[in-house]
Amino acid sequence: MDKNENLEFVTLEELRYKLMQDPEFVAEYKRLEEQEKLMASLKAQREAQNLTQKDIAEKTGMKMQNVSRLERGLVHPTLDTLSRYANALGGRIEFVLN
């Protein structure tokens, strides 16, 4: 028996629909979506202020490659890291509970 005989192919939309039925998956998906929005906002503000990733690294004490990873969503930032990034932009992080 060929090892590929039992494979079932599904579309990406079918997979997404199935995964979105799982409450744990949905909660994690929403958490990551919020994190992505926050980082996009911080990056947009950095760019609006004509600051480079190097500028942010110097102001926060982070390495430039870590700023890049953060902005690309490759790492899960701590509250301290997000706060330092926001402070480097002259702002702060606020939480809103809905």
Side-chain angles (χ1 to χ4, degrees):
M1 174 164 34
D2 187 283
K3 67 178 181 178
N4 293 327
E5 281 184 36
N6 294 326
L7 293 179
E8 178 184 343
F9 291 95
V10 296
T11 67
L12 185 56
E13 189 57 36
E14 290 170 329
L15 177 60
R16 183 182 182 283
Y17 177 80
K18 182 178 178 181
L19 290 171
M20 294 303 276
Q21 304 308 305
D22 178 356
E24 288 181 28
F25 178 85
V26 171
E28 181 66 8
Y29 183 87
K30 287 181 179 181
R31 188 188 69 76
L32 291 173
E33 193 173 52
E34 288 297 318
Q35 182 177 311
E36 186 178 301
K37 286 179 189 177
L38 175 59
M39 286 314 308
S41 176
L42 290 172
K43 180 181 178 181
Q45 185 62 34
R46 172 182 66 78
E47 291 172 341
Q49 292 183 25
N50 294 314
L51 296 172
T52 65
Q53 289 180 344
K54 183 178 180 184
D55 295 329
I56 296 298
E58 289 172 356
K59 290 181 176 204
T60 61
M62 295 168 42
K63 293 181 180 178
M64 192 172 80
Q65 60 264 34
N66 290 340
V67 174
S68 174
R69 288 183 188 119
L70 184 64
E71 288 185 356
R72 290 183 290 148
L74 300 178
V75 295
H76 301 289
T78 64
L79 178 57
D80 179 63
T81 299
L82 292 172
S83 182
R84 287 175 24 218
Y85 193 117
N87 289 336
L89 296 171
R92 62 190 173 123
I93 299 292
E94 291 186 0
F95 293 95
V96 177
L97 300 175
N98 295 328

